[in-house]
Amino acid sequence: MKKNILFVLIIILVLGVFAFNYQRLVSFFEHHDESILARVNGEPISLEEVEKLYDMRNVHLNSPAPDVERVQKEYAEILYNRIIQVLISQELKKRNAAVSQEEVTAYENKIKKSYGELLEQQRFEDYLAEYGIDYQEWLKQLKAQVENDALHTLLQKEISLTTEETIQYAEKIKEQQNMLTKIKFYKLIGSQELLNKIQQDTTFSKDAVSEKSFSGKDFIHYYEEKGAVVYKALFDSDSLPDEYKSVLLSMGEHTFSAVQHDGETNYILYLEQLENPKQDDAVDLYLLAEERLVQEKLPEVYADWLAKAIKNSDISVVNSFKDVLSMIDFNKANTGNDDANISKLHDVLREIKK
C-alpha cells in the first residue's frame, strides 16, 4: 500500500508507462553541451535529468520493452513536462513568490508521515533506492509539485468575478441543496385488511411520538408482530423512486399513507422524517459560490498563462531532439525554428494524449 502511494505521487508528477533499455535510445541523441536537451530562458534541461525521470516512472513495471517510437514519445512528454516545470519556477521568482526549502521539507515530511512504522526500520532515502528511485530527483519533483500548487494559488487570486455571476451561481447552489432533501420512511406490506387496521393504529402517531422519542427498531417489531412485512428506507429526494415520491412528499411526518398497490402487492408508507438540509445563509452561499466559480475558471486561466509563458520565453531544443519530434509526428519538423518546434511539441503531445 505504501509503495502504491509513492508511485501515485510519481505518476502524477511525471505521467506515463512502460520500461525500456536506455542503450537502445542513445543513438537518437547527440551529446551537445554536456548532454543538454533544452534551455528555458537559459536554464538547462539535461538528457540525464530526463533519463532519470523516465526511469522513475517505469522502474516498478515489468512490461516488455516497447518499440523505439513509443520511447521517443515518452521522452518528448517528459521533456515537455520539465519545460513547464521550469517555466512555473521562473514565474514564481518573477513574482517574488519562490517556494522556500521549508515548504518543500514540510511537504516531504507529510509524505514520510504516511509511511508510519516503515520509516522506523530504514531511512526514506534507502527505501526509495530499493525501488530504483533517485532520492534527489524525487525531491526535485516534489519541489515542482509544491511550485505548481503555489502558482495555482496565485492565479486563483487574479480571477475576477462579477457580483451578478456570483449571485446567479449562489442561486444554483441553493437549488441543488433543496434537491438533497433526505426522506426516511417505512414500507409495510400485507393484506388490504391488515393495512387498513394499521392505518387506524395511533401507537406511532405524531402525538404519540412527540411524547416519547421514535424508535425504528420498536416500530418494525411492533408491526411485524401484527403480521406485516416492514422495510426501512432512506433516500435523497432526487433518487427517490417516483411511485414513492408523489405519495411521501404530500404526507406529514409520523403518518401513514393510503393503501398503495404494486401488482398483487398491497403496501402503505409511514413517513418518519422529511429532513431538509441546513440551508446556508446568503453570505455563506455567496462565499461558496465564489470559491466554486474560481475553481471552475482556474484551468482556463492556467492554460492561458502557459500559452503566454511559452510564447514569451526563449526555449531552445537540440537539433537531435528536433529530429525525434519530427519522427513522432511522421512529418518533417522545422528544425531551424525553435519557437515553431516547441509549438509542434505541444501539438504532438496533445495528439499523444487523445
Side-chain angles (χ1 to χ4, degrees):
M1 182 64 183
K2 298 301 183 182
K3 176 181 174 184
N4 289 339
I5 294 173
L6 175 63
F7 291 131
V8 165
L9 283 169
I10 300 303
I11 289 170
I12 289 174
L13 297 173
V14 283
L15 309 171
V17 290
F18 303 118
F20 183 73
N21 183 344
Y22 168 69
Q23 294 302 320
R24 293 182 60 193
L25 191 68
V26 172
S27 61
F28 288 95
F29 299 96
E30 297 172 22
H31 288 219
H32 296 300
D33 192 14
E34 297 182 355
S35 300
I36 300 301
L37 285 184
R39 291 183 183 276
V40 182
N41 297 317
E43 187 170 337
I45 299 175
S46 69
L47 173 58
E48 180 183 11
E49 183 179 0
V50 173
E51 182 186 15
K52 286 181 179 179
L53 291 174
Y54 180 88
D55 290 341
M56 284 173 66
R57 75 194 227 180
N58 291 286
V59 69
H60 61 295
L61 300 176
N62 295 315
S63 306
D67 56 39
V68 174
E69 180 183 303
R70 176 65 231 180
V71 176
Q72 292 166 356
K73 292 179 180 180
E74 290 194 60
Y75 267 66
E77 184 175 345
I78 291 171
L79 176 59
Y80 181 66
N81 287 337
R82 274 300 298 143
I83 289 173
I84 294 175
Q85 289 176 351
V86 172
L87 287 171
I88 289 174
S89 182
Q90 292 176 347
E91 180 70 14
L92 290 174
K93 291 175 182 176
K94 289 178 188 176
R95 294 169 177 247
N96 294 318
V99 167
S100 68
Q101 183 57 49
E102 288 74 17
E103 291 175 278
V104 178
T105 300
Y107 190 34
E108 179 188 5
N109 290 337
K110 182 178 180 180
I111 293 173
K112 287 180 178 179
K113 187 176 180 180
S114 68
Y115 284 77
E117 296 179 359
L118 177 67
L119 297 187
E120 294 178 4
Q121 304 169 12
Q122 66 181 142
R123 295 192 313 155
F124 188 64
E125 296 90 321
D126 296 334
Y127 176 79
L128 293 180
E130 286 182 4
Y131 295 98
I133 297 173
D134 183 273
Y135 176 64
Q136 293 304 319
E137 194 59 47
W138 184 85
L139 282 178
K140 286 177 64 176
Q141 289 304 302
L142 203 66
K143 181 179 181 180
Q145 183 60 50
V146 176
E147 290 178 330
N148 183 68
D149 293 343
L151 178 62
H152 276 71
T153 298
L154 290 175
L155 293 176
Q156 284 182 28
K157 296 177 181 178
E158 296 176 358
I159 296 175
S160 59
L161 303 173
T162 66
T163 301
E164 182 180 357
E165 70 175 323
T166 306
I167 291 175
Q168 289 178 350
Y169 202 90
E171 288 298 321
K172 179 181 177 181
I173 295 174
K174 186 175 181 179
E175 290 176 7
Q176 291 173 340
Q177 289 181 339
N178 289 336
M179 292 177 62
L180 294 178
T181 299
K182 292 191 180 298
I183 302 175
K184 299 179 182 179
F185 66 97
Y186 294 81
K187 180 177 181 179
L188 295 82
I189 301 173
S191 66
Q192 178 84 39
E193 182 180 2
L194 173 61
L195 296 179
N196 286 337
K197 289 181 179 179
I198 291 176
Q199 282 182 304
Q200 306 305 315
D201 194 311
T202 60
T203 304
F204 292 91
S205 66
K206 187 173 183 179
D207 290 339
V209 170
S210 64
E211 295 178 5
K212 59 179 180 179
S213 60
F214 177 83
S215 168
K217 184 177 179 180
D218 290 344
F219 180 91
I220 294 173
H221 177 72
Y222 180 81
Y223 288 111
E224 284 186 342
E225 283 287 307
K226 292 185 176 295
V229 177
V230 185
Y231 296 98
K232 182 178 181 179
L234 172 63
F235 283 90
D236 287 333
S237 55
D238 60 344
S239 61
L240 183 66
D242 290 336
E243 63 268 27
Y244 301 147
K245 182 182 296 186
S246 58
V247 176
L248 290 165
L249 293 182
S250 64
M251 294 171 57
E253 291 184 351
H254 304 295
T255 62
F256 288 106
S257 71
V259 177
Q260 309 294 312
H261 307 283
D262 182 9
E264 298 296 320
T265 302
N266 304 308
Y267 68 90
I268 58 175
L269 303 177
Y270 175 85
L271 179 60
E272 177 191 347
Q273 186 177 28
L274 195 152
E275 179 184 358
N276 290 312
K278 176 183 176 293
Q279 294 293 322
D280 293 317
D281 61 28
V283 174
D284 288 339
L285 275 175
Y286 191 89
L287 294 175
L288 182 59
E290 281 187 325
E291 181 181 342
R292 292 188 182 179
L293 274 171
V294 166
Q295 291 302 319
E296 285 188 7
K297 292 174 179 287
L298 183 58
E300 183 178 352
V301 171
Y302 174 78
D304 289 343
W305 168 82
L306 179 58
K308 291 176 183 177
I310 290 176
K311 181 180 179 181
N312 297 328
S313 295
D314 178 14
I315 303 174
S316 60
V317 180
V318 295
N319 287 331
S320 55
F321 196 75
K322 293 176 186 177
D323 293 339
V324 172
L325 295 178
S326 67
M327 292 175 65
I328 290 175
D329 202 30
F330 303 104
N331 292 302
K332 280 288 184 180
N334 181 357
T335 57
N337 187 314
D338 284 323
D339 291 339
N341 191 64
I342 291 297
S343 177
K344 183 181 182 62
L345 174 56
H346 186 278
D347 292 339
V348 168
L349 290 169
R350 272 192 311 194
E351 192 67 29
I352 290 172
K353 295 176 182 178
K354 284 182 180 179

